[in-house]
Amino acid sequence: MEELVNYILQFGNLNRQQIDFITGKAKTLELHKDEYFSEAGKIPRSVGFILEGVVRFCYYNNKGEEITHSFVDENNFVSDQQRFEAQVVASEYIQAVTDCKLLVFSKKDWDEIGNTIVGWDAITGLILKNCLLKTIERRSPLVSEDATTRYLSFIEQFPGLVNRIPLSYVASYLGMTQQSLSRIRKNVR
Amino acid sequence: MEELVNYILQFGNLNRQQIDFITGKAKTLELHKDEYFSEAGKIPRSVGFILEGVVRFCYYNNKGEEITHSFVDENNFVSDQQRFEAQVVASEYIQAVTDCKLLVFSKKDWDEIGNTIVGWDAITGLILKNCLLKTIERRSPLVSEDATTRYLSFIEQFPGLVNRIPLSYVASYLGMTQQSLSRIRKNVR
DNA sequence: GAAAGCCTTTACCATTTGGTAAAAAGCAAT
DNA sequence: ATTGCTTTTTACCAAATGGTAAAGGCTTTC
């Protein structure tokens, strides 16, 4: 819970009472590897904050290939935020790629926090902007790099992650086949 | 000017007086092809709204290659927003790729609008989130697609743009060489 | 209209990456 | 330990892309 509070306080000031109000709404949720936090075709039910584990955002392209477009690890918010706010069905999946422990907020509780705490919308707005920028900064360079460079920058950006999750997910995130990734890993060693 | 107002009103309600206050601060700026709107190493001086023309965001990687990471065309805001807000030096360039006509707001005027109009920060926050999401949606799929598919989706996402700007910029946006793009264009025809 | 400069296309070959298939390695359940 | 299942690695060949260089086109300028 402390991690969540520290995270939020980076983006704005809150007093003890406000913090307690927020943390009072958080429920813990455990997800097993491969379970979904949010699914395409369903309305996202909650906003999460990852205490332990890693999740990925993924979707299927028109060839039926599964594309991982981002990973989120410990001490970060995870949510299909636009769809959650609007309460409309999602078009992508958020899936646990390791066992996870999360703090979650229901839509009702999330709205109550917004209606109670002045400045909460500004804080969450900043958090979302931050997450989006991070996603862009991580993903955008992948377009112009060759496969080996993409793999090396993945290792830098997500230290240790490559040892915790299936390589097929890494390959799909990096836009290459599993076989190419395997070959690259051999050459890099 | 009407385009600007319509754009803003998508993200929140403003009365006549507020709208006049905002538009009163806007100055027009003309940029010739290749001129910079914002430069790496300099502090971004203004927020722009494109009335005519197209700009691109670009930077140089560690091999000295120039990478175009996004295009912005008519009726969109253009700004190195994070750096502008914080008034710190930029790490990338924003360059006109055609002659452009813009409405611009200085930092001082932008802040005055924020201090005067209740809800302005919320509106600009939404606008920025929107731009970031659009960037992600456009750029992210490029990682996992082959060169021909990337070119075809570029044509869809920026109709006509390919005829207005140098193909070398398109190639760098799509993460391929100019020669590859040329070959692909021949095969697609 | 000739010259100069830039942008675009072509061509050739080397290298990288993808597709398919099979083998090897790791893991879990019995 | 054996079996069955999934993940990862290899191998082979085809296809796509990059690098270098040169030629062709298109403007601009004088």
Side-chain angles (χ1 to χ4, degrees):
Chain A
M1 198 65 93
E2 195 187 326
E3 290 87 354
L4 172 65
V5 174
N6 289 339
Y7 184 91
I8 293 172
L9 290 178
Q10 289 180 287
F11 297 95
N13 289 315
L14 295 170
N15 60 36
R16 191 73 250 163
Q17 190 187 358
Q18 292 170 318
I19 291 170
D20 291 343
F21 186 78
I22 295 163
T23 56
K25 300 287 191 190
K27 309 266 183 291
T28 64
L29 171 69
E30 310 225 339
L31 286 178
H32 288 107
K33 184 173 185 315
D34 297 340
E35 282 184 337
Y36 292 111
F37 177 70
S38 174
E39 287 180 71
K42 297 188 178 177
I43 296 173
R45 293 298 171 199
S46 54
V47 169
F49 182 82
I50 304 181
L51 295 176
E52 285 172 31
V54 182
V55 304
R56 63 170 185 150
F57 287 69
C58 62
Y59 64 94
Y60 294 85
N61 69 12
N62 57 17
K63 294 176 204 135
E65 296 161 335
E66 182 185 277
I67 311 287
T68 299
H69 79 79
S70 65
F71 292 106
V72 182
D73 59 3
E74 280 87 0
N75 297 319
N76 284 293
F77 273 100
V78 55
S79 157
D80 193 340
Q81 195 62 18
Q82 296 274 107
R83 310 303 180 113
F84 172 80
E85 293 289 359
Q87 287 289 291
V88 296
V89 298
S91 58
E92 57 184 11
Y93 295 85
I94 304 177
Q95 184 185 35
V97 293
T98 67
D99 288 348
C100 289
K101 194 183 286 181
L102 302 153
L103 294 173
V104 296
F105 299 89
S106 69
K107 174 69 174 153
K108 178 167 157 291
D109 286 341
W110 191 255
D111 286 346
E112 272 182 35
I113 297 173
N115 294 332
T116 305
I117 296 180
V118 176
W120 178 247
D121 288 347
I123 290 175
T124 57
L126 283 177
I127 290 174
L128 179 56
K129 271 196 268 184
N130 225 262
C131 291
L132 294 176
L133 275 169
K134 209 194 301 183
T135 299
I136 292 177
E137 278 168 19
R138 282 176 170 165
R139 191 116 241 263
S140 189
L142 300 182
V143 177
S144 58
E145 293 168 341
D146 66 22
T148 303
T149 310
R150 295 205 295 279
Y151 174 65
L152 292 176
S153 54
F154 173 81
I155 290 188
E156 266 186 44
Q157 282 166 11
F158 298 98
L161 186 53
V162 76
N163 300 316
R164 301 170 63 190
I165 67 179
L167 290 178
S168 57
Y169 295 169
V170 178
S172 110
Y173 177 72
L174 295 177
M176 68 183 80
T177 60
Q178 204 167 311
Q179 293 85 329
S180 293
L181 177 57
S182 179
R183 176 171 41 204
I184 285 162
R185 281 162 56 82
K186 185 173 66 172
N187 294 335
V188 163
R189 237 179 282 134
Chain B
M1 197 66 93
E2 195 186 325
E3 291 86 355
L4 172 65
V5 174
N6 288 339
Y7 185 91
I8 293 172
L9 290 177
Q10 290 180 286
F11 298 94
N13 289 317
L14 295 170
N15 60 37
R16 192 71 250 166
Q17 190 187 359
Q18 291 171 316
I19 291 170
D20 291 343
F21 186 78
I22 294 164
T23 56
K25 300 286 189 190
K27 309 268 182 289
T28 64
L29 171 69
E30 309 225 340
L31 287 179
H32 288 106
K33 184 173 185 313
D34 296 341
E35 282 184 337
Y36 292 111
F37 177 70
S38 175
E39 288 181 70
K42 298 187 178 178
I43 297 172
R45 292 299 171 198
S46 54
V47 169
F49 182 82
I50 304 181
L51 295 174
E52 286 172 30
V54 182
V55 304
R56 64 170 184 151
F57 286 70
C58 62
Y59 64 93
Y60 295 85
N61 70 11
N62 57 16
K63 292 176 204 134
E65 296 160 336
E66 182 185 277
I67 311 288
T68 299
H69 78 79
S70 66
F71 292 107
V72 183
D73 59 4
E74 281 87 1
N75 298 320
N76 285 294
F77 274 99
V78 54
S79 157
D80 194 339
Q81 195 62 19
Q82 296 274 108
R83 309 303 179 110
F84 172 79
E85 293 289 359
Q87 287 290 289
V88 296
V89 298
S91 59
E92 60 184 9
Y93 295 86
I94 304 177
Q95 184 185 34
V97 293
T98 66
D99 288 346
C100 288
K101 195 183 287 181
L102 301 153
L103 294 173
V104 295
F105 299 89
S106 68
K107 174 70 173 151
K108 178 168 157 290
D109 286 343
W110 192 255
D111 287 345
E112 273 182 35
I113 297 173
N115 293 331
T116 306
I117 296 180
V118 177
W120 179 248
D121 288 348
I123 290 175
T124 57
L126 282 177
I127 290 174
L128 179 55
K129 269 196 270 184
N130 225 262
C131 291
L132 293 176
L133 275 169
K134 208 193 302 183
T135 300
I136 292 177
E137 278 167 19
R138 283 176 169 165
R139 192 115 240 266
S140 188
L142 300 182
V143 177
S144 58
E145 293 169 342
D146 66 22
T148 302
T149 309
R150 295 205 295 280
Y151 174 66
L152 292 175
S153 53
F154 173 81
I155 290 188
E156 267 187 43
Q157 281 166 10
F158 298 97
L161 186 52
V162 77
N163 300 316
R164 301 171 63 189
I165 68 178
L167 290 177
S168 57
Y169 295 170
V170 178
S172 112
Y173 177 73
L174 296 177
M176 68 183 81
T177 60
Q178 203 166 312
Q179 293 86 327
S180 293
L181 177 57
S182 179
R183 177 170 40 206
I184 285 162
R185 281 161 57 81
K186 185 173 65 172
N187 295 336
V188 163
R189 234 178 286 136

